Amino acid sequence: MTNKKPAKTGNSASPQTNRAQKSRPQNNRAQNSRTLNNRAQSSHTQKSNAAASGSSLMPLLLVVIFLAGLIGAAQQHMLPYGIAGMYLTLSLLTFIAYAIDKSAAKRGKWRTKESTLHLLALMGGWPGALFAQNVLRHKSVKASFRNVFWLTVVANLAVLGYGIKTGAADMFI
C-alpha cells in the first residue's frame, strides 16, 4: 500500500480544472450528507405514517370499547349514569388539555404540567388522554410520561372495579 501519485500526461490541466477536481470530494461529501438527511427524513416520515395508521388503532379501539362498555353498563343499571357521564366529561376535558398543551408546545408558550395531565387521567380522563396521544400525536413518545400514564390507567380501573364490586360506585350518582 504505497502512496503513488498518478503519472502526469503531456496535457497539463488548467488551474481551474485542478480546483474543480480538488473540490469534487467536498461536493461529494455534501451530496452524501444531503442524501443521508433525505433518507433520515424519509425514514421518519414512514415511521410517522405507520404510527398514524395501523399502530394507533389499538388504543383508539380500547377507548371506544371502554366507553361503550360504561354506557352499556349504565343502561343495564349495573352502573350509575353519573359514572359514565363523569368518564365522558373528564375524557373531553383531558383531550382539550392535551390539545392546548400541544398548541403551546408548537408556539413555544407556557405548557401544561405533566402532573396535571396525569391527574386528569387518574380521575377518569384517561380515555380522552389516550385518544389525544394517538390523534394529536402528543405525549406519545416520552417513555417516562407513558409509563406514569399507564400506571394512572391501571389505578383508575382498579378503583372503578373496586367501586363496582363493593357497591361504592352507587354513591356517585
Side-chain angles (χ1 to χ4, degrees):
M1 293 194 131
T2 59
N3 199 4
K4 293 183 182 180
K5 291 185 180 181
K8 290 187 179 182
T9 60
N11 297 337
S12 72
S14 70
Q16 291 174 344
T17 306
N18 286 339
R19 277 189 224 123
Q21 288 174 348
K22 287 180 183 176
S23 67
R24 271 192 204 137
Q26 291 174 346
N27 289 340
N28 286 342
R29 277 184 253 155
Q31 185 178 6
N32 289 342
S33 176
R34 282 190 296 268
T35 302
L36 289 175
N37 285 339
N38 289 342
R39 285 182 190 161
Q41 288 173 350
S42 174
S43 173
H44 184 291
T45 303
Q46 289 171 351
K47 288 178 185 175
S48 295
N49 290 341
S53 61
S55 63
S56 64
L57 291 179
M58 187 57 92
L60 298 178
L61 187 62
L62 176 67
V63 168
V64 169
I65 290 171
F66 176 75
L67 292 175
L70 277 179
I71 293 169
Q75 288 177 340
Q76 296 296 321
H77 305 290
M78 298 168 59
L79 191 68
Y81 279 103
I83 297 289
M86 181 187 73
Y87 272 95
L88 290 170
T89 302
L90 283 169
S91 291
L92 179 62
L93 290 174
T94 305
F95 183 89
I96 291 169
Y98 271 75
I100 290 169
D101 189 48
K102 171 87 176 195
S103 175
K106 283 183 173 180
R107 293 180 290 128
K109 300 289 182 183
W110 192 263
R111 305 278 306 273
T112 305
K113 289 182 180 181
E114 288 185 355
S115 60
T116 302
L117 298 175
H118 287 313
L119 181 61
L120 286 167
L122 180 63
M123 290 174 24
W126 66 265
L130 191 57
F131 190 70
Q133 287 173 8
N134 286 277
V135 171
L136 303 175
R137 305 301 302 157
H138 187 56
K139 298 288 189 184
S140 60
V141 175
K142 188 176 177 185
S144 60
F145 183 89
R146 300 268 305 168
N147 291 339
V148 174
F149 168 75
W150 284 109
L151 286 174
T152 65
V153 172
V154 169
N156 178 271
L157 291 176
V159 170
L160 177 65
Y162 177 79
I164 291 170
K165 183 177 181 184
T166 61
D170 293 333
M171 294 186 301
F172 296 103
I173 298 172

